Every structure is written in C-alpha cells, then in structure tokens.
Amino acid sequence: MRKKITIVGAGNVGATAANWIVEKELGDVVLVDVNEGIPQGKALDLLEAMPIEKRDCSVIGTNGYEETANSDVVVITAGIPRKPGMSRDDLLQTNFKIMSDVVGKVVAASPNCILVIVSNPLDAMAQTAFKQSGFPRERVIGMAGVLDSARFRTFIAEELHVSVENVTAFVLGGHGDTMVPLPRYSTVAGIPITELIAPDRLEALVQRTRDGGAEIVKYLKTGSAYYAPSAAAVEMVEAILKDKKKILPCAVYLQGEYGINGLYVGVPVKLGEKGVEQIIEIKLTPEEQAALNRSADAVKELCDVIGMA
C-alpha cells in the first residue's frame, strides 16, 4: 500500500507541493479545492506526466473530502494569498474561517492523519488547526522554519559563494516580521557564519530573510511565493512518511519549552512517523530569548483576535 497524501488547496503552493511529492514518489496524492475543475484539471495534468517521469503515483482532484479518507498526511494550503502591501496578518480573519471549515472536514475523513499547516498567518492557523482538530500536538505541525531557514541558507551561500549543501541555518519564532534567525547556530561546513561574514553584512542577510516573502510578493504583484514554500512542506512530509527522525525547525505547540506556554512557535523538532517526536531545546542568549519572546507575543496577539489563544 502506497502512502496517501491529501493537499487542501490547489493553488500554486498546493499544486507545486503535489508535483514535488510525486517527483519523490512519496505516495498517492488527492488534491482538494472548492473551485470546480481546478483540482481535477491540475491532477490529471500531473498524472499524465507520470509515464514521462517514470513514477507510479496516483493523482486525483476533487471538490469534496470523500476521496481523502484515511490519508496518512494532510497538507493544508487553503486560503487567500498575500497581495502587495498586505502583511501575513491581514489574511487573519478570512483564512481563520477557511481553516476552521477545512479542518473539520479533514478530521472527519482522516481521524488518524498528521496535519502539516502552510496557510498564513502560519502560527495562528496552526493554532487554529490544533484547537479545532482535537489532535495531540505531535500531529499538528506548522511549516515556517524550514522555509525561513532555506531563505537564510540561500542568502548565506550567495554571500560566500559556496554550495548551499555546505550551509546549515536556523530560524526560530513566528513566521513573520518577528522571526528569529540565529547566526550563532548557522554554519558553513561546520564553521559558524559569525566568523565568515562581517556583522553589518550578516544583519542585512537576517533582514532579507525576514522580508523574504514580501520581496517575492513585490516582484510578482498578483501572487506570493510557492516553489520554496511547497518544497519546505514536502521536506516535512518526507521526514514523516519515511520516519527519517530529521531535525527541522517547525511551528509546534509549546507547553513550557523555551519558557513559552500554549502557543505555536517555531523551534527545532525531530520529525518522524508519529509527527513531532521530540522538541529540541537549545541554549539561547538573553537577547535571543527576548527576541523569541517578542515573536511569541506577536503570535498571541493574532490568536487572541480569533479566540484561539
């Protein structure tokens, strides 16, 4: 039996995630969207690429949830995307309603699945999914840190003219302007980047990481990033389905870890077949802890607005 992965939302992020999943032959994909014809058309198009790519994966598109029954992992990308001038937080009320509706239907069809949340504002939407699903925190995980860390790694590699494979980077905190890139824990072939990049240049790279999504929105004008966000979500899906025990920065529900209680915040976790198998607490400087607390406060403000704190 191949694994079954449902993707809710057949826009750019969802459809591209489906593409990465079948390219890696992780399992069969069900693409769900409220717009009639869109998931069916994109699914059929992707299915017809399988003989060329030599991948034996089924891809189906649907407007309902019957076909999603007994999914192993459900990736939720549904919601309206950012437009120029919009912050992730501007999306809050609309996407809260969408997330609440989707989670109810997903849970009814796949009560044992693991949820990977991609919709923005990410941390508040992950909190919504957790509260509405009734799942344990191990099975509701937000995708943010993998994407933010990938952006940071990209900029570090460009700055130093080295392979991205040599670069490890950590970004903690909420997925937004208060995210906390950690240069002290970011390395190139094991060498801390604080020894390789001047402080002013490093600060510029940190700021560009924070603005990573907005920079792309500004270029596209009518949409937002989707290649890197979908690839980030699929890295998490792969770690879960293959039980890789991979340590990745993800948004998880903290219960006292890092001194934060009752909120979804990005921290390093071990991902395996059960979802979050361990939350890893790293030592932070007082400045780093203060930045993480500010990030958590920003998440709490959003959760308060939608009654999910």
Side-chain angles (χ1 to χ4, degrees), residues 235 238-246 271-273:
E235 183 173 25
E238 183 174 29
I240 292 163
L241 293 180
K242 292 186 176 178
D243 193 25
K244 279 178 166 281
K245 317 289 189 197
K246 200 168 189 177
L271 281 190
E273 65 179 348

Side-chain angles (χ1 to χ4, degrees), residues 2 6 31 37 41 45 74 76 80 105 111 132 147 177-178 186 188-189 207 211 223 241 248 254 261 264 298:
R2 285 197 290 265
T6 284
L31 200 53
D45 191 13
V74 177
I76 302 180
I80 58 166
K105 292 170 177 169
Q132 308 279 42
L147 169 62
D177 301 335
T178 60
S186 303
V188 175
Q207 191 55 47
D211 297 336
L241 293 180
L248 295 168
L254 298 182
N261 215 350
Y264 265 80

Side-chain angles (χ1 to χ4, degrees), residues 9-11 15 31-44 61-63:
L31 200 53
V32 185
D33 200 284
V34 291
N35 294 304
E36 282 188 33
I38 299 294
Q40 292 89 343
K42 290 187 178 183
L44 182 57
T62 177
N63 303 117

Side-chain angles (χ1 to χ4, degrees), residues 153-154 156-167 188:
R153 287 166 67 192
T154 300
I156 292 166
E158 280 189 332
E159 180 76 9
L160 294 173
H161 305 290
V162 298
S163 166
V164 290
E165 291 181 43
N166 282 147
V167 183
V188 175

Side-chain angles (χ1 to χ4, degrees), residues 280-302:
I280 294 158
E281 291 195 70
I282 55 179
K283 284 198 172 73
L284 300 179
T285 65
E287 294 79 13
E288 289 163 349
Q289 183 65 52
L292 188 61
N293 291 344
R294 279 195 300 276
S295 199
D297 289 343
V299 174
K300 186 175 188 308
E301 277 182 34
L302 297 184

Side-chain angles (χ1 to χ4, degrees), residues 24-79:
K24 292 170 177 280
E25 217 167 17
L26 296 180
D28 294 332
V29 174
V30 182
L31 200 53
V32 185
D33 200 284
V34 291
N35 294 304
E36 282 188 33
I38 299 294
Q40 292 89 343
K42 290 187 178 183
L44 182 57
D45 191 13
L46 196 48
L47 184 66
E48 289 167 355
M50 293 303 93
I52 301 165
E53 292 297 304
K54 301 176 178 62
R55 298 287 185 266
D56 285 304
C57 291
S58 156
V59 190
I60 60 170
T62 177
N63 303 117
Y65 285 81
E66 288 162 22
E67 295 91 336
T68 72
N70 302 314
S71 293
D72 295 285
V73 177
V74 177
V75 180
I76 302 180
T77 74

